[in-house]
Amino acid sequence: RPIDELSGGQKQRVFIARALAQEPNVFLFDEPTSSLDIKHQLEVLSLVQYLAHRERRHVIMVLHDLNLAARFSHLLVMLKKGMVYAAGSPEEVLTEENIKAVYDVRAKIIKSSSGPLMVPLAPLDKEKYSKVSKKHDLGW
């Protein structure tokens, strides 16, 4: 089908396939999982991980999903206002303190065999959202 008839997720997979077909030594991906459902997110990131580990390709990705970043990366760089705030392993970078400082969110980090999992709990500016939380009982 013509690309303008594809869904957002289908277009995203076409763009990734085009990048893979060029067989570069370095891949730069900006949100490669955007518009993808969870199955396709896992497939794409598993493929990217395979390229990095088995074929010794370098992969640099921007991901806003912290759990996917922690699951599929061995090195994370967390930015705040365009500057490096923290860098290191997922366990070193994905901490409750860093999430609070960078995202203004209270979160819980759960250790798992796949790496740290981040559970967002509440924005730090609770007063701004208090009407919403009372109305919808968000548990804040």
Side-chain angles (χ1 to χ4, degrees), residues 91-137:
E91 292 77 15
E92 294 169 324
V93 173
L94 202 60
T95 67
E96 293 171 8
E97 296 78 20
N98 287 349
I99 293 166
K100 180 178 179 181
V102 172
Y103 297 102
D104 292 325
V105 168
R106 189 168 49 86
K108 178 74 176 160
I109 301 298
I110 300 168
K111 294 180 182 182
S112 78
S113 60
S114 297
L117 296 172
M118 189 273 303
V119 178
L121 300 175
L124 291 180
D125 188 1
K126 286 171 46 171
E127 289 181 24
K128 182 177 179 181
Y129 302 99
S130 63
K131 291 179 185 175
V132 173
S133 67
K134 287 177 186 174
K135 183 177 180 182
H136 297 286
D137 191 31

Side-chain angles (χ1 to χ4, degrees), residues 3 14-15 33-34 41 45 53 59-61 68 72 83-84 98 108-109 116-117 123 131 136:
I3 196 161
V14 167
F15 297 144
T33 57
S34 68
Q41 289 177 0
L45 292 177
H53 290 220
V59 178
I60 300 169
M61 285 190 292
L68 287 176
F72 287 96
M83 304 293 290
V84 173
N98 287 349
K108 178 74 176 160
I109 301 298
L117 296 172
K131 291 179 185 175
H136 297 286

Side-chain angles (χ1 to χ4, degrees), residues 6 17-19 25-26 33 36 61 74-75 77 83 86 92 107 125:
L6 299 177
R18 277 187 4 198
N25 288 325
V26 178
T33 57
L36 298 180
M61 285 190 292
H74 70 277
L75 174 66
V77 177
M83 304 293 290
E92 294 169 324
D125 188 1

Side-chain angles (χ1 to χ4, degrees), residues 11-27:
K11 286 179 188 175
Q12 185 72 343
R13 291 184 8 230
V14 167
F15 297 144
I16 291 168
R18 277 187 4 198
L20 297 175
Q22 295 176 33
E23 298 184 356
N25 288 325
V26 178
F27 290 96

